[in-house]
Amino acid sequence: MPGLKVLPSGRPGRGRLYVNRPDGLTVAWYDRQANRISVLADDQREAVLAVLRPYLSGDWTIGPPPVPSRAELRRLHLPPDQDLAPNRPGEALLGELAYGAPGGGRARHRMRRQLAASQRTGAELDLLEAEDWRVVHDVPLPGLGLLDHLLIGPPGVFALRTVPGRRQRAQVGDLLLTVGRGTPAPDPRWIRGAAARASRALASPVTPVLSLTDASRVEVAPSLRDVLVLQPPTLTATLRAVPPTLKPPDVEALFTAARMTSTWLGER
């Protein structure tokens, strides 16, 4: 079929190339992770192979699309306004700053600082999607507020709260976190509660994580053992080193549940 075009998937790291007709209709796709070509009509097989051949490697297979899993069917029927997956890091803060956040200039400055920290951590987490990880930003937790990031990958599920270090010393204890000479904040307690809430909602263990950005030095109390305290840019390297506990289908099933607003709004 003349005029077929090969286009990458919308989000990086998904491992798919789509073959589209000139009118935009998809006729096939190549899953680079599974090394499989799915063709919607068998009479288009040779044309699809012709345009995909430069991208093929190894022992690839070709055939009709596989039967979707239960998790994939739930995702396909998810209305856009109930899908958290498109959220950008700091999505809520972006909206508040764009439409006039209350509280004056000092409050807006704090929000911009928090947004920059969330975006830095989120950008690092998004890079893990190329390695079969999945991430959801700005997860609503009724009664607690927003969880900055929920990360799902082979080592398990991680709930992350981002804290700006402001180029000062940060001290993290069992219950409180202090940056510079600022007022101690209950971030360790908060992220424990958020991780517990996420664990109930997803029916899976969730590890609480504090991500401290731009701190000059981080001191962690030896007694703090249930909360990971990490810093960009070594954050992702530390998470990659955690032993795997989940298989790819488990990661996808948890991601499907995590991206649904109803998963969180029904959890108290």
Side-chain angles (χ1 to χ4, degrees), residues 97 100-114:
L97 288 168
R106 185 171 297 181
R108 291 178 64 84
H109 175 71
R110 286 196 298 267
M111 291 175 65
R112 283 192 290 267
R113 188 169 57 200
Q114 179 64 43

Side-chain angles (χ1 to χ4, degrees), residues 73-89:
L73 288 173
R74 292 173 66 193
R75 176 181 57 81
L76 291 171
H77 289 87
L78 186 62
D81 62 345
Q82 297 180 24
D83 189 359
L84 300 174
N87 282 359
R88 298 164 292 178

Side-chain angles (χ1 to χ4, degrees), residues 147-168:
L147 174 64
D148 294 328
H149 318 282
L150 185 82
L151 181 68
I152 307 168
V157 186
F158 302 86
L160 289 92
R161 182 174 179 86
T162 304
V163 181
R166 308 199 304 269
R167 297 188 176 140
Q168 300 182 53

Side-chain angles (χ1 to χ4, degrees), residues 84-151:
L84 300 174
N87 282 359
R88 298 164 292 178
E91 186 78 38
L93 289 171
L94 284 166
E96 290 186 48
L97 288 168
Y99 294 102
R106 185 171 297 181
R108 291 178 64 84
H109 175 71
R110 286 196 298 267
M111 291 175 65
R112 283 192 290 267
R113 188 169 57 200
Q114 179 64 43
L115 174 61
S118 184
Q119 287 176 328
R120 183 175 178 188
T121 297
E124 284 208 39
L125 299 179
D126 286 341
L127 293 175
L128 288 172
E129 290 200 327
E131 304 173 27
D132 294 332
W133 296 65
R134 299 291 180 259
V135 60
V136 183
H137 307 290
D138 273 24
V139 176
L141 300 178
L144 288 178
L146 287 174
L147 174 64
D148 294 328
H149 318 282
L150 185 82
L151 181 68

